[in-house]
Amino acid sequence: MSESHGDASQQGALQDRATLSPGTAVPGTEEALRKRHTARARSAADRTRAACRAAGVEADPEAVIAVPTEAAAKAANALRLSADALAALAKGAPDPAADARQARNAAAASVLAAQMAQSHGADALADAAYQAALKASQAAGTAAGRDGMGRNEALNAEAETAEAAAVAAAEAAGWR
């Protein structure tokens, strides 16, 4: 009986590997994927803080409100979302799909902060930084989405490239 159970679990493992699409990471690389997703999330969180500072908005991430309308409340929500994403990445077992969603959440928060900073900068560099933040968020969303599930090497690489471009654009805009 244990032999048939062993065969069934081996077949299940082979089937799991067989269902991965080309260009995806093989099972067992969850920790390496978590490191990549965490690096993107940290970078996006850093961009969020820098954009909030550039917008002249220092906010307490504990001062979150349901529907933010003022810049300080929007900044607080963006900072809190980034902090929550990083906290989620720091606990539990690695899960590429969930980890990629946290990186996406941090990237999405950076878009809100970039929008605030853009409105204060109102020049070509601020516009480019906002657009780069938006592209980084979209790439992170694609990497976390149904086609990537946080495991697709090509989508993860695109998200990392977009994040690096967003960092460069934020620095060029003076958002440090």
Side-chain angles (χ1 to χ4, degrees):
M1 186 178 225
S2 64
E3 288 181 4
S4 66
H5 177 66
D7 290 345
S9 65
Q10 285 177 345
Q11 288 175 345
L14 291 174
Q15 184 177 11
D16 287 346
R17 286 187 185 146
T19 58
L20 293 172
S21 61
T24 60
V26 295
T29 62
E30 284 82 6
E31 188 61 43
L33 287 168
R34 172 168 274 184
K35 287 178 182 178
R36 292 175 73 181
H37 297 312
T38 299
R40 278 200 333 272
R42 281 191 182 124
S43 178
D46 289 346
R47 285 189 300 107
T48 298
R49 285 188 294 277
C52 287
R53 280 192 304 273
V57 181
E58 296 294 330
D60 176 6
E62 299 299 319
V64 175
I65 61 171
V67 182
T69 56
E70 295 185 19
K74 289 179 182 180
N77 283 8
L79 292 167
R80 181 56 180 254
L81 182 57
S82 291
D84 287 350
L86 291 174
L89 282 161
K91 63 182 175 182
D95 177 347
D99 295 345
R101 287 191 300 273
Q102 295 304 331
R104 176 207 58 208
N105 291 347
S110 74
V111 173
L112 177 60
Q115 187 176 35
M116 287 187 300
Q118 176 195 28
S119 70
H120 284 77
D123 64 14
L125 292 175
D127 293 345
Y130 169 73
Q131 289 300 320
L134 189 57
K135 288 178 184 176
S137 178
Q138 291 167 337
T142 301
R146 182 176 47 140
D147 294 335
M149 299 291 289
R151 291 183 174 273
N152 185 288
E153 177 59 34
L155 296 177
N156 286 334
E158 287 176 22
E160 289 162 358
T161 299
E163 179 60 31
V167 168
E171 288 176 354
W175 303 349
R176 303 174 224 260

